């Protein structure tokens, strides 16, 4: 229902005369933001209910890892919807989101760490860019990515930054060891992965070294359609291969994005 309303709004706006679009633009942005928040809340509550149900009988600790927490809005909703869980988060864009992350951590002491690093298949550094559109002096950012061939929109080159990169497989093993109880009970781990195209290499490493089986439930958004057209078939094949491998493992895949 929400999706239909948003699509109708976009269609009306797109086909309006230029002068009408200029007048409607602020209302369009407010309306789109409102309905997007409603949609996000619905998705989070539905997903959290499933995670909570599946984790209920698990004897160990309960961990939620948000790879790509952005403004922290969806993470805060998960924190409220998953009492008893402990939380970690990763985000590359410290420049935009450091202040909101600090405030989020203060409000919720069960967030054990918000890390401004790129989730990766190796330790080191990574450059991230903001992809978007520039119309005159107005910049509309639409994605933050560490991949040079990602996103059909132009890159805003002046907003490239160096950030630490963390080998997610290594981090995951260390985190699980840290939260394993004295009786040997390993934690229930739910991972949300929305990392703007880096998910392919990260998941391929997790599958290759077997670390993927340490994850109880995985929510992943693949971004195949957002690569440049000449790259899509390559990433489509990688996505299909990852999904095929995941289908044979005891990792529960939940819808996200």
């Amino acid at each position: 229902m929400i999706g239909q309303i948003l699509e109708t709004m976009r269609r009306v706006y797109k086909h309006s005369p230029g002068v009408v679009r200029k007048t409607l633009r602020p209302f369009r942005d407010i309306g789109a933001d409102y309905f997007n928040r409603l949609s996000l809340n619905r998705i989070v509550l539905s997903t959290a209910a499933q995670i909570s149900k599946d984790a209920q009988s698990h004897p160990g600790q309960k961990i939620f890892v948000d790879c790509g927490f952005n403004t922290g809005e969806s993470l805060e909703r998960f924190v409220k919807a998953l009492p008893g869980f402990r939380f970690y988060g990763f985000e590359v864009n410290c420049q935009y989101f450091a202040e909101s992350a600090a405030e989020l951590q203060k409000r919720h002491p069960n967030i054990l760490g918000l890390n401004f690093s790129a989730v990766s298949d190796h330790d080191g550094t990574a450059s991230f860019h903001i992809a978007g559109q520039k119309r005159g002096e107005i910049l509309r950012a639409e994605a933050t990515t560490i991949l040079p061939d990602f996103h059909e929109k132009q890159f805003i080159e002046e907003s490239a930054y160096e950030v630490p990169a963390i080998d997610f497989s290594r981090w995951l093993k260390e985190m699980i060891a840290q939260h394993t109880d004295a009786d040997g009970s390993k934690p229930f781990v739910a991972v949300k992965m929305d990392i703007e195209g880096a998910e392919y290499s990260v998941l391929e490493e997790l599958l290759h070294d077997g670390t993927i089986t340490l994850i109880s439930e995985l929510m992943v958004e693949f971004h195949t359609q957002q690569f440049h057209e000449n790259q899509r078939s390559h990433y489509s094949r990688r996505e299909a291969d990852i999904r095929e491998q995941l289908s044979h493992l005891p990792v529960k895949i939940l819808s996200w994005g």
Side-chain angles (χ1 to χ4, degrees):
M1 180 64 176
I2 293 175
Q4 292 175 342
I5 293 173
L6 285 173
E7 184 56 37
T8 300
M9 290 170 60
R10 293 189 191 101
R11 191 163 53 247
V12 170
Y13 180 81
K14 181 179 179 180
H15 295 288
S16 297
V19 65
V20 175
R21 287 202 302 271
K22 185 176 180 179
T23 303
L24 290 178
R25 189 173 296 128
F27 301 100
R28 177 206 62 177
D29 294 342
I30 292 170
D33 183 63
Y34 173 74
F35 284 110
N36 283 333
R37 287 173 183 271
L38 285 180
S39 179
L40 175 64
N41 190 59
R42 177 179 56 81
I43 293 170
V44 168
L45 289 178
S46 174
T47 305
Q50 185 63 59
I51 292 171
S52 182
K53 178 182 176 182
D54 295 339
Q56 191 170 13
S57 60
H58 189 83
Q61 299 178 44
K62 299 168 179 60
I63 307 293
F64 186 98
V65 183
D66 190 345
C67 299
F69 65 78
N70 199 261
T71 63
E73 184 175 0
S74 65
L75 177 56
E76 180 151 33
R77 292 172 190 260
F78 274 113
V79 170
K80 293 177 179 178
L82 291 172
F85 273 69
R86 299 179 179 187
F87 297 84
Y88 291 94
F90 291 91
E91 171 58 44
V92 298
N93 199 337
C94 180
Q95 283 76 7
Y96 281 12
F97 304 131
E99 185 175 344
S100 58
E103 293 173 356
L104 178 61
Q105 189 133 26
K106 285 180 184 177
R107 290 195 298 272
H108 301 286
N110 52 340
I111 296 178
L112 301 182
L114 296 179
N115 195 325
F116 282 100
S117 301
V119 173
S120 181
D121 60 351
H122 66 278
D123 291 312
T125 61
S127 296
F128 82 83
H129 302 262
I130 296 175
Q133 295 180 346
K134 226 172 186 179
R135 295 178 178 173
E137 296 302 313
I138 299 173
L139 165 64
R140 181 173 177 81
E142 297 181 358
T144 304
T145 179
I146 62 173
L147 300 183
D149 52 355
F150 181 75
H151 214 276
E152 288 191 298
K153 309 298 183 187
Q154 69 185 60
F155 282 122
I156 311 304
E157 293 298 338
E158 62 266 29
S159 56
Y161 302 94
E162 286 290 316
V163 293
I166 286 184
D167 185 324
F168 188 64
S169 179
R170 174 193 58 77
W171 179 88
L172 190 61
K173 286 182 279 191
E174 293 175 357
M175 183 274 293
I176 286 176
Q178 178 184 346
H179 290 286
T180 297
D181 292 339
D183 63 1
S185 297
K186 295 186 182 300
F188 178 98
V189 179
V191 174
K192 168 187 161 286
M193 188 175 292
D194 186 358
I195 49 178
E196 302 297 330
E199 63 273 7
Y200 305 89
S201 58
V202 172
L203 288 171
E204 284 164 352
E205 185 198 17
L206 293 175
L207 287 163
H208 177 73
D209 66 13
T211 312
I212 192 74
T213 58
L214 300 177
I215 298 174
S216 308
E217 301 197 344
L218 175 66
M219 295 142 277
V220 58
E221 180 172 357
F222 287 97
H223 294 80
T224 301
Q225 294 305 311
Q226 289 180 257
F227 282 90
H228 291 287
E229 189 174 358
N230 62 351
Q231 289 287 322
R232 285 181 198 157
S233 60
H234 168 73
Y235 284 99
S236 180
R237 288 192 296 270
R238 290 175 70 178
E239 178 183 343
D241 183 59
I242 291 169
R243 289 186 182 277
E244 169 64 18
Q245 293 186 64
L246 288 172
S247 70
H248 299 291
L249 296 173
V251 181
K252 187 168 186 176
I253 309 300
L254 301 180
S255 177
W256 182 262

